[in-house]
Amino acid sequence: MKNTKKKIKSIRKALVISSVTMAVCIIGVLLVLVKEKRLDAAGCSILACNAAIFSCCCEALKKAEEV
């Protein structure tokens, strides 16, 4: 497969961006939980979507590294 190293680099970048976004989202949800004593629906849904993206990127990385 062509450009495998390039694909692996881009997938790793996507994983790093997704990880940072999840960390920021978790911090935001925790801050709302502590300050307002409720869960933020928008923050939790963004976190769930980002977790799905992260798992898809992990699968893509595994496939790209096999080749």
Side-chain angles (χ1 to χ4, degrees):
M1 189 185 255
K2 287 186 178 181
N3 299 327
T4 330
K5 290 182 182 181
K6 189 174 181 180
K7 288 180 183 179
I8 290 174
K9 278 186 178 182
S10 67
I11 293 171
R12 284 188 182 155
K13 286 179 187 176
L15 282 172
V16 168
I17 291 170
S18 183
S19 300
V20 170
T21 306
M22 281 197 294
V24 169
C25 202
I26 288 172
I27 291 170
V29 169
L30 287 176
L31 285 175
V32 170
L33 183 65
V34 169
K35 286 184 176 182
E36 300 178 11
K37 306 265 195 261
R38 67 176 179 86
L39 282 176
D40 186 26
C44 290
S45 61
I46 291 171
L47 186 61
C49 291
N50 205 0
I53 291 169
F54 184 82
S55 66
C56 291
C57 286
C58 285
E59 292 294 320
L61 183 65
K62 286 179 186 176
K63 287 181 183 178
E65 286 179 342
E66 286 177 358
V67 173

